[in-house]
Amino acid sequence: MESNEKKVPRATLQRYPVYLKALRKLKADGVDRIMSRQLADYVGIESTTIRRDFSFLGNLGKQGYGYNVDSLIQIFSDQLGVSFDEKIILVGAGNLGKAILNYNHWNHVVGEIVCAFDLKPENVKGAGVPVYDIHDLHEKMPQGCRIAILCINQNVQETVDLLVKEGIRGFVSFSLEHFSVPQGVYVRSVDVVSSIQELVFETNAMKK
């Protein structure tokens, strides 16, 4: 797949997760095989574009017979290097953390939050997943877990270092505190304030 990936246009790569999300939904609905025109209606992308996008990955279907949904899911999962059964943990089950736990429904796009960690797990009610003491991280870390959602603003670097030591390789961070990670560990920060500032700037610019 590596040699193919270099040849795939960026715009096509950006559509692959859309196809994979749709295929996962279709599989959950009991669909085993689909035509490009049916998938086009489902995702809102022209069937000719879909066939061209698929062509970068080889001969995936037969004319008049369509595509095998399970096969496509496997091919796109391999191409994107993503597990859609990803085990995710949440660290910091305060107000924001609990809101994310209550939302824990990713619509076949990623895996799911399987547990949370907090300084005072006994205070967290109705989380929907087990909530453990952060000091029990080594014993309670789910096997194979690589992704953590950070909703903390205290002892952030110390906690990140501990998570990396336990095998976390990717962070979605809602933290207001800056922290560093080793090479090979990735961070995606969610900054709501900056997003609002950008929107205010854009809306004010429209008035001029």
Side-chain angles (χ1 to χ4, degrees):
M1 281 295 177
E2 263 185 46
S3 59
N4 276 344
E5 186 176 342
K6 294 177 183 176
K7 301 175 184 176
V8 179
R10 183 178 182 84
T12 295
L13 279 174
Q14 289 174 339
R15 287 190 288 269
Y16 281 174
V18 176
Y19 299 142
L20 189 46
K21 173 182 175 181
L23 290 163
R24 294 283 294 195
K25 284 185 178 180
L26 289 164
K27 180 179 179 180
D29 291 339
V31 177
D32 297 321
R33 187 166 292 278
I34 191 167
M35 307 290 286
S36 59
R37 63 177 181 275
Q38 295 171 316
L39 184 58
D41 292 338
Y42 201 77
V43 298
I45 298 172
E46 292 288 340
S47 59
T48 53
T49 300
I50 290 175
R51 289 193 293 270
R52 184 173 64 250
D53 289 348
F54 284 14
S55 71
F56 288 101
L57 303 177
N59 187 14
L60 305 185
K62 296 180 180 178
Q63 188 172 0
Y65 191 58
Y67 302 97
N68 180 282
V69 171
D70 282 335
S71 296
L72 286 180
I73 289 173
Q74 185 61 57
I75 289 168
F76 281 121
S77 295
D78 291 343
Q79 177 71 15
L80 294 169
V82 174
S83 169
F84 283 73
D85 299 314
E86 194 79 46
K87 294 177 182 177
I88 304 167
I89 62 168
L90 182 137
V91 181
N95 291 334
L96 176 59
K98 283 189 285 189
I100 294 174
L101 288 174
N102 289 333
Y103 175 76
N104 193 11
H105 173 68
W106 309 106
N107 203 19
H108 305 286
V109 181
V110 290
E112 63 178 351
I113 301 171
V114 294
C115 66
F117 293 89
D118 196 83
L119 282 172
K120 297 181 178 179
E122 65 277 6
N123 293 341
V124 183
K125 308 298 182 184
V129 298
V131 181
Y132 304 118
D133 193 304
I134 189 64
H135 296 105
D136 296 330
L137 182 65
H138 181 71
E139 292 77 19
K140 300 296 186 180
M141 172 68 79
Q143 186 174 4
C145 179
R146 303 178 302 167
I147 307 296
I149 300 174
L150 285 183
C151 297
I152 59 173
N153 287 304
Q154 294 181 353
N155 302 321
V156 178
Q157 186 66 62
E158 177 185 343
T159 303
V160 167
D161 291 344
L162 185 61
L163 289 163
V164 170
K165 184 178 179 181
E166 294 298 332
I168 294 298
R169 292 296 175 264
F171 292 90
V172 177
S173 175
F174 289 87
S175 176
L176 300 177
E177 299 294 323
H178 173 75
F179 59 89
S180 60
V181 294
Q183 186 174 3
V185 177
Y186 303 94
V187 179
R188 294 293 180 269
S189 296
V190 181
D191 190 339
V192 177
V193 173
S194 293
S195 296
I196 294 173
Q197 287 176 332
E198 290 173 8
L199 283 173
V200 170
F201 177 79
E202 290 172 359
T203 52
N204 286 340
M206 290 176 62
K207 296 177 182 179
K208 296 179 181 178

